[in-house]
Amino acid sequence: MVPELEKATVHMKSPEHVRRVISALRKEGPDKLQVVSDFDMTLSRFGFNGRRCPTSHNILDNSQVISEEGRKKLKDLLHYYYPIEIDPNRTMEEKRPLMVEWWTRAHGLLLQQKILKRDIAKIVEESEVMLRDGVNTFFDQLHQHNIPLFIFSAGVGDILEEVLRQAKVFHPNVNVMSNYMDFDDKGVLRQFKEPLIHTYNKNGSVLEKTDHFQQLSSRTNIILLGDSMGDLSMADGVANVENILTIGFLNDKVDEQRGKYRDAYDVVLEKDETLDVVNGILCYILGDLN
């Protein structure tokens, strides 16, 4: 059916359920399908050659526009809060206020740096960001078949969009919900726009600010891509979901988190830096239309 599901990186709690959902998605066709995806470490790579790849926040944090002192403070925040974010022994309820604290403090530090709108393209160009292998096929297939892609990210929207632009995959079917910068009339960063989106509030509470899903009411079949437990609620704003296939990238603390991810996601991809499995599933669903 989908040979890519035989890859060694793939884990499924119920292969039967996965087969059933994929068959339903194929039968109902592209007009009823939409894709909802996280960005950082889902569409972008987690690592390359043993080194971590930057998230959209890291791209800013590590750039030349941030002072050395600012960079150190942002790194300190990362080292304190990231282990909390991925701690399998803490509940989401415990993590939420700490994530708000982290994002708020990080954004506060970025505001002090007087970042210029005109520097964004250069910041991205000079960064070490990498999208997953197969990303062009993924974006192009969706674009070709007019399947909406909603990227729901706790990263920095301006940076994320620039990454997509430079990769030449920011097609008209792509919509982004993220933390956007607000620049003054001189093009200097003055604040981040509301609402604040962090790892564990990517759900209906934030989506009230957009009518994206209401406009797509006929698209009741979903493929959801994420890399954290918080990503599983990204499609909560979709009314009358008929079929949903959730695919989770397990990038870090694999042994500790394996059980939790297998229970939560239909398909788990362990330390897989490609979109091969996702593309294989899409290819099968779109079948004779490709």
Side-chain angles (χ1 to χ4, degrees):
M1 189 179 182
V2 180
E4 289 82 358
L5 286 171
E6 306 299 321
K7 273 182 78 171
T9 54
V10 175
H11 298 273
M12 294 177 279
K13 190 177 181 183
S14 169
E16 189 42 53
H17 170 74
V18 170
R19 273 195 291 274
R20 214 169 34 243
V21 175
I22 292 174
S23 295
L25 296 179
R26 177 176 164 123
K27 188 167 161 266
E28 307 234 319
D31 294 344
K32 291 197 72 177
L33 182 65
Q34 59 175 307
V35 178
V36 180
S37 180
D38 169 51
F39 181 75
D40 291 310
M41 300 179 286
T42 297
L43 297 178
S44 71
R45 289 181 73 118
F46 177 78
F48 181 68
N49 284 346
R51 285 182 59 194
R52 284 290 303 270
C53 289
T55 64
S56 53
H57 270 108
N58 301 151
I59 290 171
L60 257 188
D61 301 352
N62 302 337
S63 73
Q64 296 305 311
V65 302
I66 307 294
S67 69
E68 199 144 325
E69 188 196 354
R71 229 175 288 172
K72 187 194 173 302
K73 286 179 175 173
L74 287 160
K75 196 156 262 155
D76 289 346
L77 291 179
L78 177 73
H79 290 155
Y80 178 75
Y81 288 105
Y82 179 66
I84 296 171
E85 181 188 359
I86 63 165
D87 184 348
N89 302 312
R90 291 189 193 228
T91 64
M92 278 208 248
E93 283 63 37
E94 287 174 82
K95 291 178 183 185
R96 263 188 209 111
L98 294 162
M99 294 302 103
V100 171
E101 198 175 281
W102 180 12
W103 261 249
T104 305
R105 290 175 71 181
H107 287 174
L109 285 169
L110 291 171
L111 292 181
Q112 294 170 17
Q113 304 294 317
K114 303 280 183 264
I115 295 163
L116 297 171
K117 187 174 188 171
R118 65 165 186 262
D119 288 340
I120 299 285
K122 191 164 177 272
I123 289 168
V124 170
E125 213 171 299
E126 292 174 351
S127 76
E128 294 181 350
V129 67
M130 290 180 80
L131 295 174
R132 286 188 190 269
D133 293 356
V135 79
N136 291 79
T137 305
F138 171 72
F139 277 89
D140 292 348
Q141 279 199 89
L142 296 178
H143 180 222
Q144 194 188 331
H145 294 283
N146 295 318
I147 297 167
L149 168 60
F150 184 64
I151 297 176
F152 198 170
S153 170
V156 183
D158 311 72
I159 297 284
L160 187 169
E161 287 192 6
E162 188 56 35
V163 171
L164 297 179
R165 220 172 270 122
Q166 292 185 16
K168 298 186 169 42
V169 293
F170 199 7
H171 302 310
N173 63 314
V174 178
N175 255 294
V176 180
M177 176 101 182
S178 189
N179 296 297
Y180 280 93
M181 297 168 155
D182 187 17
F183 298 93
D184 65 19
D185 47 15
K186 292 190 178 70
V188 180
L189 176 65
R190 62 173 173 190
Q191 63 181 2
F192 278 82
K193 295 174 185 173
E194 294 284 330
L196 174 78
I197 303 171
H198 59 76
T199 318
Y200 297 113
N201 72 340
K202 293 163 85 170
N203 53 35
S205 65
V206 171
L207 286 167
E208 284 163 7
K209 308 282 186 293
T210 170
D211 61 352
H212 174 79
F213 288 133
Q214 284 85 314
Q215 290 172 13
L216 300 174
S217 55
S218 63
R219 294 186 180 266
T220 48
N221 291 334
I222 295 164
I223 295 176
L224 180 146
L225 313 175
D227 75 327
S228 87
M229 290 294 138
D231 290 333
L232 286 156
S233 60
M234 291 189 300
D236 282 6
V238 182
N240 312 315
V241 174
E242 285 183 66
N243 300 288
I244 181 166
L245 181 72
T246 59
I247 302 172
F249 288 88
L250 177 49
N251 300 307
D252 206 3
K253 298 258 187 297
V254 172
D255 294 335
E256 296 97 308
Q257 301 201 87
R258 182 177 289 124
K260 214 171 190 175
Y261 272 65
R262 280 193 192 181
D263 286 344
Y265 281 99
D266 298 322
V267 179
V268 178
L269 304 173
E270 276 188 21
K271 288 199 169 297
D272 185 337
E273 293 290 0
T274 76
L275 286 169
D276 294 351
V277 173
V278 179
N279 287 336
I281 291 168
L282 275 173
C283 194
Y284 175 78
I285 289 169
L286 298 168
D288 312 325
L289 301 166
N290 267 330

